[in-house]
Amino acid sequence: MNILLWHVHGSWTTAFVQGPHTYLVPLLPDRGPDGRGRARTFSWPASVRELPPDELREAEVDLVVLQRPHELELAERWLGGRRPGRDVPAVYLEHNTPDGDVPNTRHPFADRDDLTLVHVTHFNRLFWDNGGTRTEVIEHGIVDPGHRYTGRLARAAVVVNEPVRRGRYTGTDLLPALAEAAPLDVFGMRAEGLAAHLGLPEERCRAMDLPQSDLHAALAERRLYAHPVRWTSLGLSLLEAMHLGMPVVALATTEAVEAVPPGAGVLSTRPEVLAEAARRYLAEPGAAAEDGARARQAALGRYGLKRFLNDWERVMTEVRS
């Protein structure tokens, strides 16, 4: 198939384009949000093709994967009037938890009979009001980075973009108490100034923005992965850390309670419990490695790439039938 989708979420798309199809990603001269083209920091196969809007008008497209509400109008215009869901089969992929009047948040594509709404977690499907739209859940899949854990650095890794701006959503306010238990390395975009913002010494909360190619090796050197996020879809960085063989210390919120089984880390809604778990992992590297190995096996079993691609093949075949 020729599948049209926008480059919105680099990590998710990296897994999706490992399938057997041709993937058409819009390209604009400024490589802005509606036309990023191919990823520059992820490894994508040659089957991912960049096409400007004028070439999309005549392109053969078998399926459209929408990921943002405005893409419906954009796709119709760039495809020369072909309507996603009517003239071209379409799915709407929802990456995010609802934001607003939870739990009464109505999905922008609720009550549609022309497409399928795909959620990336069961939690998301539960909390969105999908109306009568046909819904599916296709859980994440990860391109396995390998069991690379050493845990040689007695520090906790956190991965979050824009922790200052996003605040309570990402649990930024919980970092000072966690930093008392374990020095933190916070990886992600626009995390500079985080220590000063929280009133912490730089050594207890270091901000690092590494290219994707270096991130996995850096994570695997840290003793544990900390996930203090209150309200978000299931972060792919959490699943990548588990694939690396890292033990997890996480808030028992959203889909994390499904992703991290007993023995793979510590989940709790009590920050003091997470802080104590971080202290224990720092003091007992052997226990950290054992829990990390169980985390890897759990992630391979539930979030492996083959299962992910098979689930998508099934849904795409059904949508086109």
Side-chain angles (χ1 to χ4, degrees):
M1 287 188 288
N2 289 334
I3 300 173
L4 170 64
L5 76 158
W6 275 260
H7 174 188
V8 173
H9 192 305
S11 294
W12 181 90
T13 309
T14 297
F16 185 68
V17 299
Q18 305 303 315
H21 307 291
T22 298
Y23 305 90
L24 310 177
V25 292
L27 175 67
L28 293 174
D30 64 355
R31 288 188 177 268
D34 288 335
R36 289 194 176 107
R38 287 177 56 91
R40 294 178 170 182
T41 57
F42 294 86
S43 179
W44 286 3
S47 56
V48 183
R49 295 175 51 206
E50 299 177 330
L51 285 183
D54 58 340
E55 293 186 30
L56 280 170
R57 178 174 293 270
E58 303 299 329
E60 180 180 343
V61 175
D62 300 301
L63 179 74
V64 180
V65 177
L66 305 165
Q67 300 171 78
R68 298 167 297 174
H70 75 277
E71 290 177 1
L72 184 68
E73 182 276 330
L74 203 58
E76 182 176 346
R77 178 154 43 92
W78 288 1
L79 291 174
R82 287 174 286 175
R83 298 166 299 172
R86 299 296 185 188
D87 305 310
V88 184
V91 301
Y92 188 96
L93 172 63
E94 181 53 71
H95 290 283
N96 301 314
T97 46
D99 190 10
D101 186 22
V102 178
N104 298 317
T105 314
R106 188 165 177 79
H107 196 276
F109 282 71
D111 287 331
R112 297 189 69 110
D113 61 3
D114 56 347
L115 50 75
T116 296
L117 178 54
V118 179
H119 293 281
V120 297
T121 71
H122 292 275
F123 182 93
N124 288 8
R125 179 166 69 174
L126 179 68
F127 271 76
W128 276 109
D129 175 3
N130 304 299
T133 305
R134 179 199 175 200
T135 62
E136 291 276 353
V137 175
I138 300 181
E139 295 186 317
H140 288 304
I142 301 293
V143 179
D144 183 15
H147 193 169
R148 302 167 68 176
Y149 178 74
T150 66
R152 69 178 187 85
L153 298 178
R155 303 183 66 87
V158 180
V159 178
V160 61
N161 290 326
E162 302 185 76
V164 174
R165 180 184 68 82
R166 296 169 69 192
R168 287 179 59 83
Y169 280 82
T170 55
T172 303
D173 59 301
L174 303 177
L175 294 180
L178 191 58
E180 288 184 11
L184 308 178
D185 288 331
V186 182
F187 299 89
M189 296 183 293
R190 291 180 284 280
E192 60 276 359
L194 178 60
H197 173 75
L198 296 174
L200 294 172
E202 188 72 27
E203 174 60 21
R204 301 302 294 187
C205 185
R206 303 188 304 199
M208 301 182 176
D209 186 3
L210 299 181
Q212 185 69 21
S213 56
D214 298 334
L215 180 60
H216 288 156
L219 289 177
E221 291 184 320
R222 273 68 188 175
R223 186 70 50 81
L224 66 135
Y225 185 83
H227 187 69
V229 182
R230 278 190 179 88
W231 188 254
T232 186
S233 191
L234 182 61
L236 282 166
S237 56
L238 169 65
L239 301 180
E240 289 169 348
M242 292 174 68
H243 273 76
L244 290 167
M246 300 183 73
V248 172
V249 169
L251 279 181
T253 56
T254 65
E255 191 77 0
V257 296
E258 288 284 330
V260 185
V266 176
L267 295 175
S268 178
T269 55
R270 298 167 57 190
E272 62 272 20
V273 172
L274 303 187
E276 181 55 38
R279 289 190 187 93
R280 184 174 70 86
Y281 283 139
L282 260 58
E284 302 178 22
E290 291 173 4
D291 284 6
R294 284 188 285 268
R296 172 170 168 78
Q297 291 307 309
L300 286 172
R302 183 159 184 172
Y303 301 102
L305 186 64
K306 182 177 180 180
R307 190 274 311 153
F308 171 78
L309 294 175
N310 285 344
D311 285 354
W312 270 104
E313 284 299 309
R314 174 184 59 79
V315 169
M316 291 190 296
T317 299
E318 292 173 357
V319 168
R320 293 187 67 228
S321 61

